[in-house]
Amino acid sequence: MDTIFALASAPGKAGVAVIRVSGPSAWRAAEQLAGALPKPREAVLRRLKDRAGQVLDEALILLFSKGASFTGEAVAEFHVHGSVAIQRAVLRELEEMDGLRMAEAGEFTRRALENDRLDLTQVEALADLIESETESQRVQALRVFAGALGERVEDWRRDLVHAASLLEVTIDFADEEVPVDVSGEVREFLERVIAGLDREIRGMDGAERIRTGFEVAIVGAPNVGKSSLLNALAGRDAAITSEIAGTTRDVIEVRMEIAGLPVTLLDTAGLRETQDPVEKIGIARARDRAMTSDLRVILSDERGMPDFDVLEGDIVLRSKADLAGEAEGISAKTGQGLDALISQIGERLSEKVQAAGLATRERHRVAFLEGRIALEDAMTLLARGPDSYDLAAEEIRAAIRALELLIGRIDVENLLDEIFSSFCIGK
């Protein structure tokens, strides 16, 4: 297997840059650059030199033994000064060594998967952890990266293997003196796994929203103050405000964090009857986007409510409270009610993620549903008696395969290129 190397820290100038080398020749490469090597996991200061003996930099060297590193291979890390010139010089020197090549995107993590250091759900969680922008995203990704989903799936798999083995013993020794009626014990195993799958399926919407973010649409008639409210919440002029009705014709998005959750605020076109064909398109888009959003903030004024169906959980507010002289309501100009609105949005969205599970991706949902269908079929066959035990055992094995696919034990090569395409070179 090739030995790979790459810059593992962010590209560009920095205080320190980390260059990682992984594979059978990693320690040899470190020795060529730094001379005498330290013990594994013991950081030492060394001068890095090129083939001509010229000093490249003074750096910390850190080694990890095979089986005790992130990738599961022998690894060497060079913690060099973060000059772009130093980074290039060290990488160029590594590139000239026999048996070494630049890593591809996600290749370090791919080797961790191949060497059973991570399962596939942990690989996905690592990608989510790197991309996390809010506290809720960080916490959720870290739970899965720590192995929580893989452990849960492994528990289900053990129960199903035990259930299938009970049926298969009964089938194989049908003419011998072994307990024939194992249906009660098998049913308990299946019911426990089905209940667990149901909990994860129910919690997927909340978990997926934490990963991808919520959408909150600001809805109202023209000039009701939607764009001003968006700007006030965002803390910047994200949308153009004007006294001219119909200024906002397309959906304007601002991403922010509310109550630790990723939220995209949507400023939509004012809802009214119009003959302007372009404005009509904007209003149609506004209605469609608002209806598919997770929450709507509906603004009214002295003209009353806009022509829009209020759904359960929507927040309805009187806008421009400063002009109306009202204690209740909201004002983007004075800030009245803004903190209360942010708290209200946070509370409504937090309610949606209270039952969030660990699974976050559509392929997780598909695996859970396929496994559940197979187990329901197994329960039906189990009720028919010993003559159908062989068919029930096959359905249980189908559920086991679905779970093994989920954690990457079988038949996942077609998924890996897509998953690792989101990784950077040094990860």
Side-chain angles (χ1 to χ4, degrees):
M1 179 178 284
D2 291 341
T3 296
I4 57 175
F5 66 91
L7 181 67
S9 52
K13 187 185 296 184
V16 174
V18 179
I19 295 172
R20 177 182 291 162
V21 186
S22 179
S25 299
W27 288 16
R28 174 178 60 80
E31 189 173 22
Q32 285 184 233
L33 277 175
L37 297 180
K39 296 177 182 177
R41 297 179 179 270
E42 182 179 296
V44 298
L45 191 64
R46 291 283 188 270
R47 285 186 175 180
L48 306 185
K49 297 181 180 180
D50 62 17
R51 286 159 294 166
Q54 297 295 314
V55 175
L56 300 173
D57 190 26
E58 195 168 56
L60 281 177
I61 310 299
L62 191 58
L63 303 181
F64 297 91
S65 302
K66 182 178 180 180
S69 70
F70 172 74
T71 61
E73 302 172 332
V75 167
E77 287 186 356
F78 304 95
H79 296 232
V80 302
H81 292 97
S83 154
V84 173
I86 291 173
Q87 296 173 33
R88 288 175 179 167
V90 176
L91 291 171
R92 187 165 54 244
E93 199 63 28
L94 290 170
E95 196 169 14
E96 294 297 325
M97 294 182 186
D98 292 337
L100 272 67
R101 65 169 174 82
M102 180 70 78
E104 298 174 0
E107 192 168 5
F108 289 102
T109 307
R110 188 166 190 154
R111 291 192 176 192
L113 175 68
E114 292 169 348
N115 293 322
D116 294 326
R117 301 292 292 175
L118 300 174
D119 66 37
L120 193 54
T121 62
Q122 289 175 295
V123 168
E124 292 168 324
L126 179 57
D128 291 340
L129 190 60
I130 293 169
E131 295 294 326
S132 63
E133 298 177 340
T134 68
E135 180 65 9
S136 59
Q137 290 175 324
R138 181 192 68 81
V139 170
Q140 176 174 271
L142 200 56
R143 285 175 65 200
V144 182
F145 181 60
L149 180 56
E151 289 171 5
R152 190 165 296 177
V153 170
E154 190 57 41
D155 288 342
W156 295 336
R157 182 182 173 279
R158 271 195 300 270
D159 282 347
L160 296 181
V161 168
H162 194 174
S165 64
L166 285 173
L167 292 178
E168 285 161 358
V169 166
T170 304
I171 296 165
D172 292 341
F173 298 95
D175 298 329
E176 315 244 345
E177 290 190 11
V178 295
V180 173
D181 189 10
V182 297
S183 59
E185 190 174 357
V186 171
R187 187 175 292 106
E188 286 181 13
F189 282 120
L190 301 190
E191 287 174 348
R192 185 158 64 227
V193 175
I194 289 172
L197 290 171
D198 285 342
R199 280 193 300 272
E200 281 299 323
I201 292 169
R202 285 195 301 271
M204 277 204 66
D205 286 342
E208 193 171 9
R209 275 289 177 261
I210 291 174
R211 187 174 75 86
T212 61
F214 290 91
E215 286 191 347
V216 177
I218 303 173
V219 180
N223 287 340
V224 78
K226 300 183 300 300
S227 297
S228 296
L229 177 57
L230 178 79
N231 292 341
L233 293 173
R236 59 185 177 88
D237 291 336
I240 297 172
T241 59
S242 167
E243 296 298 324
I244 302 172
T247 299
T248 301
R249 298 198 171 193
D250 205 350
V251 177
I252 297 172
E253 303 182 4
V254 172
R255 192 168 177 86
M256 60 188 297
E257 180 176 345
I258 297 178
L261 298 168
V263 177
T264 299
L265 294 175
L266 308 178
D267 177 21
T268 60
L271 304 180
R272 67 170 180 172
E273 293 295 327
T274 179
Q275 299 304 312
D276 186 327
V278 176
E279 190 179 356
K280 277 186 176 181
I281 295 172
I283 292 171
R285 287 182 179 177
R287 290 185 181 278
D288 291 344
R289 194 70 180 274
M291 291 304 296
T292 58
S293 294
D294 300 285
L295 180 65
R296 285 145 295 278
V297 177
I298 302 172
L299 301 182
S300 66
D301 58 12
E302 68 279 359
R303 294 169 291 178
M305 288 288 292
D307 178 21
F308 188 81
D309 293 331
V310 180
L311 303 179
E312 184 179 355
D314 287 348
I315 300 172
V316 180
L317 293 170
R318 175 66 184 265
S319 70
K320 302 182 180 179
D322 57 309
L323 298 179
E326 296 186 6
E328 299 296 326
I330 194 165
S331 170
K333 183 176 181 180
T334 66
Q336 176 182 327
L338 290 184
D339 289 342
L341 174 59
I342 290 173
S343 296
Q344 203 171 0
I345 292 172
E347 289 170 5
R348 298 286 169 87
L349 298 182
S350 295
E351 290 172 4
K352 296 177 181 289
V353 300
Q354 283 181 353
L358 294 169
T360 59
R361 297 173 183 254
E362 183 58 27
R363 76 170 197 90
H364 301 168
R365 189 194 305 273
V366 170
F368 289 154
L369 290 174
E370 288 180 352
R372 195 191 189 291
I373 291 170
L375 294 181
E376 287 288 356
D377 291 343
M379 292 278 282
T380 301
L381 292 165
L382 192 65
R384 295 180 184 174
D387 288 345
S388 297
Y389 281 3
D390 55 340
L391 297 176
E394 182 55 38
E395 292 296 340
I396 294 173
R397 284 192 290 270
I400 292 171
R401 286 193 294 273
L403 296 179
E404 289 179 335
L405 178 62
L406 175 67
I407 58 177
R409 284 196 175 186
I410 58 169
D411 193 28
V412 293
E413 281 302 315
N414 59 327
L415 294 171
L416 297 185
D417 289 341
E418 179 181 349
I419 290 171
F420 288 118
S421 65
S422 66
F423 280 72
C424 58
I425 296 293
K427 200 65 182 177

